[in-house]
Amino acid sequence: MPSTAPIIDRSCPVTEQKRYILTPDGLLLVLRQGDDVLARLETLMVDEDIPSAMLSGFGFAGQITFGFFDFEARTSRRATKTLR
């Protein structure tokens, strides 16, 4: 009789559970302290095949960096803000 025990491949790294769920209005993504917000958003968009999106959110942040590319000046502009 074959074994019913699950086969676990210990050579494969454990991947983290997805930290988002589908909601009636879109997707809900949960971030934790220290997360790279843009990397998490990129992972979500690649996983769910989202070519573009409108984002909104709320929460807490200790330090944030905003940036954009100035096409006329051909430079990237960044501003970092520490929140209290």
Side-chain angles (χ1 to χ4, degrees), residues 9 14-15 18 20-21 36-37 45 51 55 65 72-74:
D9 183 1
V14 176
T15 56
K18 290 183 179 180
Y20 60 88
I21 60 170
D36 181 330
V37 177
M45 293 179 77
L55 305 171
T65 302
E72 288 182 17
R74 295 183 180 249

Side-chain angles (χ1 to χ4, degrees), residues 68-77:
F68 68 96
F69 187 78
D70 183 338
F71 286 97
E72 288 182 17
R74 295 183 180 249
T75 61
S76 179
R77 297 181 182 218

Side-chain angles (χ1 to χ4, degrees), residues 19-35:
R19 289 199 273 163
Y20 60 88
I21 60 170
L22 187 59
T23 68
D25 296 317
L27 292 157
L28 172 66
L29 173 64
V30 177
L31 299 171
R32 296 185 183 126
Q33 185 175 352
D35 278 346

